[in-house]
């Protein structure tokens, strides 16, 4: 395995460094993205009805993948892609809904599972202005950390995730504890960062359990994407190198194509 390259927490500096180095992976994903591995593959995708999930679904469709969309409810944009299967009623916080997920999938095992569904509470929570919302914090942790664990567990127990299946956990650099001093010098956004930290831990533990089963699991930060979920940071989109969700989808699928047992348990930014 090649020597790992480590990212830096200062996003404007990271973006500037990428431009200085003419980093093609960062600046021009099409120059290194090879989607040929997706053709004919069954790809289960949570949160496929909107945001980065919909962009992932569009790119999967364009590359000939067989999409198994796992969503609370579909959308006209998702339906227009004509996925192989659209499984609705999948509420990430519901034990019972996730427990019946595999029963609704009719096409057999999947080649790739992308746990993408997430939730980001809009206000910036602070102790000092009494804006903490504990129920929203628990909701974020439930959706972002327990949700993918529920989905992954159910599909594995039902034999729909088998040896060789690639599992991608879409989480965030926001889950890094050490980076908070740089990215959150005044604190805040408690629920978001706690949920992503829990999600990162979940992803690593799943990778450890699945290691002996030859099922690689990678934890991915999808980059800074211009979506409704990040719109509260719209003023810094250009400063920090945010990209359209269509570009972000290619970045994610580029990394999914590189998932293997050497990379299992790694966090890729």
């Amino acid at each position: 395995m090649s020597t790992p390259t480590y990212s830096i927490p200062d996003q404007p500096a990271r973006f500037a460094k990428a431009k200085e180095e003419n980093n093609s992976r960062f600046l021009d994903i099409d120059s290194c993205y090879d989607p040929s591995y997706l053709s004919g593959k069954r790809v289960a995708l949570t949160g496929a009805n909107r945001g980065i999930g919909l962009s992932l679904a569009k790119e999967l469709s364009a590359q000939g993948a067989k999409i198994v969309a796992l969503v609370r409810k579909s959308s006209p944009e998702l339906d227009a892609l004509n996925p192989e299967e659209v499984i609705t009623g999948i509420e990430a916080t519901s034990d019972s809904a996730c427990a019946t997920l595999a029963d609704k999938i009719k096409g057999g095992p999947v080649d790739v599972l992308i746990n993408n569904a997430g939730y980001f509470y809009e206000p910036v929570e602070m102790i000092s202005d009494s804006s903490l919302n504990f129920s929203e914090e628990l909701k974020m942790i439930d959706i972002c950390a327990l949700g993918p664990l529920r989905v992954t567990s159910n599909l594995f127990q039902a034999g729909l995730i088998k040896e060789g299946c690639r599992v991608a956990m879409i989480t965030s650099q926001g889950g890094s504890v050490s980076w908070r001093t740089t990215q959150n010098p005044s604190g805040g956004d408690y629920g978001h960062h706690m949920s992503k930290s829990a999600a990162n831990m979940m992803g690593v533990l799943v990778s450890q359990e699945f290691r002996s089963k030859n099922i690689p699991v990678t934890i991915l930060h999808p980059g800074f994407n211009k979506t409704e979920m990040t719109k509260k940071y719209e003023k810094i989109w250009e400063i920090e190198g945010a990209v359209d969700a269509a570009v972000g989808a290619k970045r994610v699928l580029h990394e999914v194509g590189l998932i293997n047992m050497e990379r299992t348990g790694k966090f890729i930014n």
Side-chain angles (χ1 to χ4, degrees):
M1 186 175 181
S2 60
T3 302
T5 300
Y6 294 101
S7 188
I8 58 176
D10 186 325
Q11 290 198 164
R14 188 193 315 157
F15 185 36
K17 186 171 185 284
K19 289 189 287 187
E20 179 183 340
E21 296 175 346
N22 194 26
N23 184 325
S24 60
R25 175 177 170 272
F26 197 117
L27 303 173
D28 181 17
I29 189 61
D30 285 320
S31 67
C32 55
Y33 170 51
D34 178 6
S36 60
Y37 76 95
L38 291 167
S39 181
K41 293 294 191 294
R42 280 174 55 81
V43 181
L45 172 64
T46 66
N49 58 325
R50 64 189 183 94
I52 186 68
L54 180 59
S55 292
L56 284 165
K58 289 178 178 178
E59 178 61 18
L60 288 168
S61 178
Q63 301 305 332
K66 299 176 180 179
I67 303 168
V68 182
L70 312 177
V71 294
R72 283 190 300 166
K73 60 181 181 180
S74 193
S75 65
E77 295 88 349
L78 176 60
D79 291 338
L81 300 175
N82 195 28
E84 181 160 284
E85 300 187 60
V86 178
I87 313 300
T88 59
I90 305 306
E91 174 55 65
T93 60
S94 170
D95 292 348
S96 58
C98 291
T100 61
L101 168 59
D103 296 336
K104 299 177 180 180
I105 297 175
K106 304 304 181 184
V110 298
D111 300 294
V112 179
L113 168 63
I114 303 176
N115 280 300
N116 161 76
Y119 174 63
F120 196 173
Y121 180 54
E122 181 70 18
V124 177
E125 301 177 274
M126 301 293 287
I127 295 172
S128 54
D129 63 5
S130 301
S131 61
L132 293 180
N133 189 321
F134 299 119
S135 62
E136 287 290 331
E137 290 167 11
L138 286 170
K139 181 179 177 180
M140 280 184 272
I141 293 169
D142 202 0
I143 292 174
C144 297
L146 290 173
L149 185 59
R150 290 185 180 100
V151 169
T152 304
S153 173
N154 178 257
L155 296 186
F156 176 79
Q157 292 292 340
L160 298 182
I161 295 176
K162 295 180 176 291
E163 181 176 355
C165 176
R166 307 178 195 188
V167 178
M169 303 291 188
I170 307 298
T171 67
S172 174
Q173 63 180 11
S176 169
V177 175
S178 63
W179 280 19
R180 287 317 95 220
T181 53
T182 299
Q183 296 186 345
N184 291 77
S186 300
D189 272 336
Y190 285 87
H192 169 65
H193 295 297
M194 290 189 295
S195 73
K196 296 305 184 182
S197 190
N200 290 344
M201 178 63 77
M202 176 275 302
V204 171
L205 292 173
V206 172
S207 76
Q208 288 298 98
E209 183 169 359
F210 282 3
R211 185 180 292 273
S212 64
K213 307 176 192 313
N214 199 33
I215 300 172
V217 180
T218 296
I219 304 100
L220 301 176
H221 173 65
F224 197 7
N225 294 284
K226 297 176 182 178
T227 65
E228 286 301 313
M229 191 175 286
T230 66
K231 195 168 180 62
K232 71 192 235 181
Y233 300 121
E234 185 176 8
K235 64 181 182 296
I236 61 171
W237 274 352
E238 303 308 323
I239 299 171
E240 299 197 358
V243 298
D244 290 336
V247 176
K250 290 181 180 181
R251 286 177 168 181
V252 168
L253 294 173
H254 168 70
E255 298 300 337
V256 170
L258 298 176
I259 292 176
N260 57 33
M261 291 308 298
E262 286 189 350
R263 280 190 161 205
T264 195
K266 303 298 184 186
F267 180 92
I268 309 296
N269 189 359

